[in-house]
Amino acid sequence: MRLFLGLLLGFVLGWIATSAAALTYGELAGVSQREGAFAMGAIFLMGPLGGVVGAVLGALLARR
């Protein structure tokens, strides 16, 4: 049960942190927000990648 909770929490936090970092970087770099394409890419492309990394790290930490 602890492993599953670590995996789930790592996934959610990884998704949120990666999406927030990508959106912040886009604002600082001056990326156009026209039609929301960059925001959708950050949330639905980069976010899940960070979620997977977070899930792996969360599971490893919960296993200790």
Side-chain angles (χ1 to χ4, degrees):
M1 184 66 173
R2 194 171 81 179
L3 181 67
F4 176 73
L5 289 176
L7 186 129
L8 183 63
L9 185 62
F11 184 78
V12 170
L13 291 178
W15 187 314
I16 291 170
T18 304
S19 298
L23 290 172
T24 302
Y25 175 74
E27 281 293 320
L28 293 175
V31 176
S32 172
Q33 292 289 338
R34 187 171 189 164
E35 298 178 8
F38 181 75
M40 286 177 50
I43 299 296
F44 296 118
L45 178 68
M46 295 177 219
L49 295 176
V52 169
V53 171
V56 170
L57 290 175
L60 289 175
L61 289 174
R63 197 170 144 213
R64 291 175 102 197

